[in-house]
Protein backbone atom coordinates (compact mmCIF):
# COMPACT_ATOMS: atom_id res chain seq x y z
CA UNK A 1 0.00 0.00 0.00
CA UNK A 2 1.35 3.35 -1.00
CA UNK A 3 0.49 6.62 0.79
CA UNK A 4 0.44 9.75 -1.29
CA UNK A 5 2.09 12.94 -0.15
CA UNK A 6 -1.33 14.59 0.41
CA UNK A 7 -2.50 11.64 2.51
CA UNK A 8 0.70 11.78 4.57
CA UNK A 9 0.24 15.52 5.05
CA UNK A 10 -3.38 15.00 6.16
CA UNK A 11 -2.39 12.19 8.57
CA UNK A 12 0.41 14.34 10.06
CA UNK A 13 -1.89 17.35 10.41
CA UNK A 14 -4.64 15.32 12.07
CA UNK A 15 -2.20 13.59 14.43
CA UNK A 16 -0.65 16.96 15.38
CA UNK A 17 -4.05 18.51 16.09
CA UNK A 18 -5.06 15.54 18.24
CA UNK A 19 -1.75 15.67 20.15
CA UNK A 20 -2.19 19.40 20.80
CA UNK A 21 -5.79 18.82 21.93
CA UNK A 22 -4.70 15.99 24.26
CA UNK A 23 -1.94 18.19 25.73
CA UNK A 24 -4.35 21.10 26.31
CA UNK A 25 -6.86 18.76 27.98
CA UNK A 26 -4.08 17.40 30.19
CA UNK A 27 -2.93 20.93 31.18
CA UNK A 28 -6.52 22.01 31.92
CA UNK A 29 -6.99 18.97 34.14
CA UNK A 30 -3.72 19.72 35.97
CA UNK A 31 -4.69 23.38 36.44
CA UNK A 32 -8.12 22.40 37.75
CA UNK A 33 -6.58 19.92 40.20
CA UNK A 34 -4.13 22.59 41.38
CA UNK A 35 -6.98 25.09 41.81
CA UNK A 36 -9.11 22.50 43.63
CA UNK A 37 -6.18 21.61 45.91
CA UNK A 38 -5.67 25.27 46.85
CA UNK A 39 -9.37 25.67 47.53
CA UNK A 40 -9.31 22.55 49.75
CA UNK A 41 -6.21 23.90 51.51
CA UNK A 42 -7.93 27.23 52.16
CA UNK A 43 -10.95 25.43 53.62
CA UNK A 44 -8.67 23.23 55.72
CA UNK A 45 -6.80 26.28 57.04
CA UNK A 46 -10.11 27.86 58.01
CA UNK A 47 -11.40 24.68 59.66
CA UNK A 48 -8.18 24.38 61.69
CA UNK A 49 -7.85 28.11 62.36
CA UNK A 50 -9.15 28.07 65.94
CA UNK A 51 -6.91 25.16 66.91
CA UNK A 52 -3.90 26.88 65.29
CA UNK A 53 -4.62 30.05 67.25
CA UNK A 54 -4.89 28.08 70.50
CA UNK A 55 -1.68 26.27 69.66
CA UNK A 56 0.11 29.57 69.01
CA UNK A 57 -0.91 31.28 72.24
CA UNK A 58 2.10 29.91 74.07
CA UNK A 59 4.33 29.15 71.08
CA UNK A 60 6.63 32.12 71.65
CA UNK A 61 7.31 30.92 75.18
CA UNK A 62 7.76 27.35 73.97
CA UNK A 63 10.31 28.47 71.37
CA UNK A 64 12.27 30.39 74.00
CA UNK A 65 12.24 27.34 76.26
CA UNK A 66 13.53 25.22 73.41
CA UNK A 67 16.29 27.73 72.72
CA UNK A 68 17.40 27.95 76.38
CA UNK A 69 17.06 24.50 77.91
CA UNK A 70 17.56 23.83 81.58
CA UNK A 71 21.08 22.75 82.56
CA UNK A 72 20.07 19.23 83.56
CA UNK A 73 18.50 18.64 80.15
CA UNK A 74 21.47 19.77 78.05
CA UNK A 75 22.97 16.31 77.72
CA UNK A 76 19.65 14.74 76.77
CA UNK A 77 18.86 17.54 74.31
CA UNK A 78 22.22 17.17 72.59
CA UNK A 79 21.26 13.60 71.81
CA UNK A 80 17.87 14.75 70.50
CA UNK A 81 18.97 18.05 68.96
CA UNK A 82 17.39 17.23 65.62
CA UNK A 83 14.02 16.49 67.25
CA UNK A 84 14.14 19.73 69.25
CA UNK A 85 15.02 21.77 66.15
CA UNK A 86 12.27 20.07 64.21
CA UNK A 87 9.71 20.90 66.91
CA UNK A 88 10.95 24.48 67.07
CA UNK A 89 10.69 24.91 63.27
CA UNK A 90 7.19 23.43 63.29
CA UNK A 91 6.07 25.84 66.00
CA UNK A 92 7.65 28.78 64.18
CA UNK A 93 5.98 27.83 60.88
CA UNK A 94 2.61 27.49 62.61
CA UNK A 95 3.04 30.91 64.23
CA UNK A 96 4.00 32.50 60.91
CA UNK A 97 1.08 30.83 59.15
CA UNK A 98 -1.43 31.97 61.76
CA UNK A 99 -0.17 35.55 61.51
CA UNK A 100 -0.38 35.40 57.72
CA UNK A 101 -3.92 33.98 57.81
CA UNK A 102 -4.95 36.73 60.24
CA UNK A 103 -3.60 39.35 57.83
CA UNK A 104 -5.39 37.82 54.84
CA UNK A 105 -8.64 37.58 56.80
CA UNK A 106 -8.27 41.27 57.67
CA UNK A 107 -7.77 42.09 53.98
CA UNK A 108 -10.80 39.96 53.09
CA UNK A 109 -12.86 41.71 55.75
CA UNK A 110 -11.87 45.10 54.36
CA UNK A 111 -12.77 44.02 50.82
CA UNK A 112 -16.16 42.79 51.98
CA UNK A 113 -16.87 45.91 54.05
CA UNK A 114 -15.99 48.14 51.11
CA UNK A 115 -18.20 46.18 48.74
CA UNK A 116 -21.58 47.61 47.88
CA UNK A 117 -22.95 44.07 47.64
CA UNK A 118 -24.63 42.87 50.83
CA UNK A 119 -23.83 39.25 49.97
CA UNK A 120 -20.10 40.03 50.18
CA UNK A 121 -20.55 41.41 53.68
CA UNK A 122 -22.66 38.39 54.57
CA UNK A 123 -19.92 36.05 53.29
CA UNK A 124 -17.36 37.57 55.62
CA UNK A 125 -19.77 37.29 58.54
CA UNK A 126 -20.40 33.63 57.67
CA UNK A 127 -16.67 32.86 57.50
CA UNK A 128 -16.14 34.73 60.75
CA UNK A 129 -18.91 32.90 62.61
CA UNK A 130 -18.13 29.50 61.16
CA UNK A 131 -14.33 29.50 61.55
CA UNK A 132 -12.84 32.56 63.27
CA UNK A 133 -14.90 33.99 66.12
CA UNK A 134 -14.47 32.71 69.66
CA UNK A 135 -18.06 31.50 69.66
CA UNK A 136 -18.70 28.62 67.28
CA UNK A 137 -21.85 28.68 65.17
CA UNK A 138 -23.45 25.91 63.15
CA UNK A 139 -24.50 26.38 59.54
CA UNK A 140 -28.12 26.22 60.70
CA UNK A 141 -27.60 29.01 63.26
CA UNK A 142 -25.87 31.16 60.66
CA UNK A 143 -28.66 30.53 58.14
CA UNK A 144 -31.25 31.58 60.71
CA UNK A 145 -29.22 34.67 61.62
CA UNK A 146 -29.08 35.80 57.97
CA UNK A 147 -32.53 34.50 57.03
CA UNK A 148 -31.11 32.28 54.29
CA UNK A 149 -31.07 28.57 53.47
CA UNK A 150 -28.35 26.34 54.92
CA UNK A 151 -27.27 25.54 51.36
CA UNK A 152 -26.67 29.26 50.80
CA UNK A 153 -24.34 29.27 53.80
CA UNK A 154 -22.22 26.57 52.16
CA UNK A 155 -22.32 28.30 48.78
CA UNK A 156 -21.17 31.52 50.45
CA UNK A 157 -18.35 29.63 52.17
CA UNK A 158 -17.22 28.28 48.79
CA UNK A 159 -17.30 31.73 47.20
CA UNK A 160 -15.48 33.27 50.16
CA UNK A 161 -12.86 30.51 50.00
CA UNK A 162 -12.29 31.24 46.32
CA UNK A 163 -11.52 34.85 47.18
CA UNK A 164 -9.45 33.87 50.21
CA UNK A 165 -7.48 31.39 48.09
CA UNK A 166 -6.49 34.30 45.88
CA UNK A 167 -5.32 36.25 48.90
CA UNK A 168 -3.50 33.34 50.54
CA UNK A 169 -1.92 31.74 47.47
CA UNK A 170 -1.65 34.80 45.23
CA UNK A 171 -1.77 34.66 41.48
CA UNK A 172 -1.09 30.91 41.54
CA UNK A 173 -4.64 30.37 42.80
CA UNK A 174 -6.26 32.22 39.93
CA UNK A 175 -7.88 29.99 37.36
CA UNK A 176 -7.74 31.68 33.99
CA UNK A 177 -10.63 31.03 31.63
CA UNK A 178 -10.39 31.41 27.87
Amino acid sequence: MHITENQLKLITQTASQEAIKAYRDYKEKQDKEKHDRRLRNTKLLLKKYRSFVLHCEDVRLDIKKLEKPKEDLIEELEENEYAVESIKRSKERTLIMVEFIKEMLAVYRTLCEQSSKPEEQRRYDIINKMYISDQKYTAEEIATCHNIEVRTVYRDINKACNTLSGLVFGVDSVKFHK
Side-chain angles (χ1 to χ4, degrees):
M1 177 171 172
H2 183 305
I3 297 177
T4 67
E5 192 174 316
N6 282 341
Q7 289 172 327
L8 183 60
K9 198 180 219 181
L10 182 63
I11 291 169
T12 306
Q13 211 173 27
T14 304
S16 297
Q17 288 171 348
E18 287 301 312
I20 290 169
K21 183 183 179 302
Y23 177 75
R24 284 186 182 144
D25 290 347
Y26 172 75
K27 285 297 290 173
E28 275 183 32
K29 183 180 176 189
Q30 272 189 327
D31 291 345
K32 181 177 176 4
E33 287 172 0
K34 188 186 287 185
H35 177 76
D36 291 346
R37 194 170 46 250
R38 289 197 174 111
L39 187 59
R40 277 193 311 274
N41 287 345
T42 301
K43 286 182 180 178
L44 184 60
L45 286 170
L46 286 172
K47 287 177 183 174
K48 300 290 184 183
Y49 181 78
R50 286 184 181 108
S51 61
F52 288 154
V53 170
L54 286 174
H55 175 74
C56 287
E57 285 179 356
D58 296 324
V59 164
R60 286 184 181 93
L61 292 173
D62 289 346
I63 290 171
K64 286 180 183 175
K65 286 178 188 175
L66 290 170
E67 288 174 347
K68 297 180 182 179
K70 295 179 182 176
E71 294 299 321
D72 58 338
L73 296 177
I74 290 177
E75 223 175 274
E76 186 181 330
L77 289 176
E78 284 175 359
E79 294 172 9
N80 297 315
E81 188 175 338
Y82 180 74
V84 171
E85 281 301 312
S86 178
I87 292 167
K88 181 181 162 194
R89 278 193 308 274
S90 176
K91 289 180 177 290
E92 287 171 339
R93 281 195 315 267
T94 303
L95 185 61
I96 289 166
M97 194 63 186
V98 166
E99 291 302 317
F100 180 70
I101 294 168
K102 281 182 182 179
E103 288 176 26
M104 294 306 102
L105 287 167
V107 169
Y108 181 63
R109 179 180 183 176
T110 301
L111 289 172
C112 291
E113 287 173 348
Q114 291 175 349
S115 175
S116 59
K117 299 177 181 176
E119 62 269 17
E120 292 290 337
Q121 296 162 9
R122 182 185 70 217
R123 286 181 190 135
Y124 175 78
D125 188 62
I126 289 171
I127 291 294
N128 186 54
K129 286 180 176 169
M130 195 80 162
Y131 303 112
I132 301 165
S133 68
D134 291 336
Q135 183 179 347
K136 295 179 183 181
Y137 293 85
T138 65
E140 292 78 15
E141 291 170 329
I142 294 169
T144 301
C145 174
H146 287 282
N147 199 25
I148 57 176
E149 296 292 323
V150 172
R151 183 67 198 122
T152 304
V153 171
Y154 290 111
R155 272 195 297 263
D156 280 354
I157 288 170
N158 287 338
K159 287 178 182 177
C161 284
N162 270 323
T163 303
L164 280 166
S165 289
L167 295 172
V168 172
F169 295 105
V171 73
D172 288 340
S173 70
V174 177
K175 186 175 176 183
F176 294 102
H177 299 282
K178 293 182 182 178

